[in-house]
Amino acid sequence: MPDFQAILENLYQDAMNTSDKGTVASYIPELAHVDKNNFGIHLRTSAGKDYGVGDYKKPFSIQSISKVLALSKAMELIGEDIWKRVDVEPSGHPFNQLALLEIENGIPRNPLINSGAIVIADILVSNLENPKEDFLNYIRDLNGDDTINFNIDVAHSEKVTGFKNYATANLLKSFENLNNPVDDVLDFYFHQCSIEMNCEQLTKAFFFLSNKGNCLSNKIRLTKTQAKRINAIILTCGFYDEAGEFAFEVGLPGKSGVGGGIVALLPDNFVVTTWSPGLNIKGNSLLGMKALEKFTTETKLSIF
């Protein structure tokens, strides 16, 4: 077994010594204030051993990483009926692209681009009694941690600047692929993306996807088949128009967020989370992607 702590410490030093740390997302005003010199990594093995370095206990806005957890909850609630409303193909386009949605008659290419995630949000609004509260409690329960919460300032910031998401939701509505009022769905979606967690909490939240659908408390969240399907989707679609690059360089299923987080996993082995707020031109964490490429190269642990 590799010396994970030593490897993480080397990755941290490499990151700290890198001059180009990317550019912090500024289109969501609240995210523009985050110091791009933050960097943290946390890894948890399937045997329950934890390793961390740097700012791995500092909370940040998980943003699109939440889409995987929303998809998991929706799959738990309605199963295969999800695929009647959203496809499973990589988009090859940025996360907020609208052109494909119109060409493909209101069926999003996959559940991890914004249009697909908004459809998933609509499913959750329809099937949860108190959508925001119930979804937050779902994530808290995955972790066994009641301290996880929304960042209300970030949610508001997304709401007042989310013009393209409003356009997307209205386009979905025009194709009858949104059952609830646009404002209700987007209010849930903006709160979902505003959830704050740290690297350690995200690693624990994603543990069930590395553990055949069973979470930290050994509660069955998804069937083995459902967990396999979600891992396939995050491998092929988790980084939008850089998904192929992440699979090529890192070789793990993973998901990024514009808050600078990346979660990646090797089923039956480990979950690893990185956080570095500076993004590359594709909107993914610059140092996070580099660190994970070095991690799988040094450990020789990937799905390939």
Side-chain angles (χ1 to χ4, degrees):
M1 182 66 68
D3 185 344
F4 286 125
Q5 189 62 40
I7 291 170
L8 296 192
E9 288 171 3
N10 287 336
L11 295 177
Y12 178 77
Q13 290 304 320
D14 286 347
M16 290 297 97
N17 293 329
T18 301
S19 57
D20 182 8
K21 293 182 168 62
T23 304
V24 176
S26 59
Y27 69 93
I28 299 172
E30 279 297 315
L31 298 185
H33 308 311
V34 181
D35 183 357
K36 69 178 179 181
N37 292 306
N38 285 300
F39 187 86
I41 313 175
H42 181 268
L43 181 144
R44 184 182 180 89
T45 68
S46 294
K49 293 185 177 180
D50 290 282
Y51 306 88
V53 67
D55 300 307
Y56 73 95
K57 289 198 173 185
K58 187 177 289 188
F60 59 91
S61 179
I62 70 172
Q63 292 295 311
S64 287
I65 296 173
S66 68
K67 295 172 180 176
V68 181
L69 301 173
L71 173 62
S72 300
K73 185 61 180 177
M75 190 173 283
E76 177 188 315
L77 291 168
I78 71 168
E80 299 301 305
D81 285 347
I82 286 176
W83 312 122
K84 296 174 182 177
R85 298 181 58 187
V86 62
D87 208 342
V88 295
E89 295 295 330
S91 69
H93 287 269
F95 57 86
N96 58 358
Q97 174 67 261
L98 281 174
L100 279 176
L101 186 61
E102 185 149 27
I103 292 168
E104 296 175 352
N105 298 314
I107 302 296
R109 185 65 69 92
N110 65 69
L112 302 183
I113 53 176
N114 285 15
S115 57
I118 290 170
V119 169
I120 298 300
D122 183 58
I123 291 171
L124 293 178
V125 169
S126 293
N127 287 275
L128 296 175
E129 185 175 348
N130 298 297
K132 287 185 287 188
E133 180 182 338
D134 291 350
F135 182 68
L136 182 61
N137 285 334
Y138 167 70
I139 292 179
R140 288 172 170 176
D141 198 35
L142 286 175
N143 282 267
D145 186 344
D146 288 340
T147 68
I148 296 167
N149 220 323
F150 301 116
N151 183 320
I152 301 303
D153 291 335
V154 171
H156 177 73
S157 187
E158 295 200 46
K159 181 176 181 178
V160 299
T161 60
F163 306 114
K164 207 158 191 179
N165 284 321
Y166 279 98
T168 300
N170 279 289
L171 189 56
L172 288 165
K173 193 77 168 174
S174 75
F175 282 106
E176 299 182 348
N177 199 9
L178 210 68
N179 296 328
N180 296 285
V182 165
D183 286 345
D184 292 352
V185 176
L186 289 181
D187 180 61
F188 174 85
Y189 177 69
F190 294 143
H191 278 80
Q192 165 197 313
C193 291
S194 80
I195 289 173
E196 280 195 332
M197 300 170 74
N198 61 38
C199 293
E200 184 175 17
Q201 290 167 328
L202 271 170
T203 298
K204 291 179 178 179
F206 273 67
F207 183 79
F208 74 107
L209 290 176
S210 73
N211 192 40
K212 299 182 175 65
N214 298 334
C215 69
L216 282 173
S217 61
N218 209 33
K219 181 178 179 179
I220 298 173
R221 299 294 180 171
L222 296 173
T223 66
K224 293 178 183 179
T225 298
Q226 288 172 329
K228 179 186 79 171
R229 300 232 186 282
I230 290 181
N231 285 332
I233 289 171
I234 62 176
L235 175 69
T236 58
C237 307
F239 293 78
Y240 315 117
D241 46 336
E242 205 172 16
E245 182 76 10
F246 189 80
F248 181 76
E249 296 286 354
V250 179
L252 295 173
K255 183 73 193 80
S256 63
V258 296
I262 297 176
V263 185
L265 61 95
L266 181 61
D268 302 318
N269 281 269
F270 63 79
V271 183
V272 59
T273 301
T274 66
W275 175 50
S276 177
L279 310 179
N280 63 19
I281 58 172
K282 300 285 190 178
N284 297 310
S285 175
L286 179 68
L287 295 186
M289 291 190 69
K290 288 182 178 180
L292 290 170
E293 188 277 327
K294 290 177 183 177
F295 174 82
T296 55
T297 297
E298 289 189 28
T299 62
K300 296 179 173 54
L301 295 171
S302 78
I303 64 171
F304 300 113

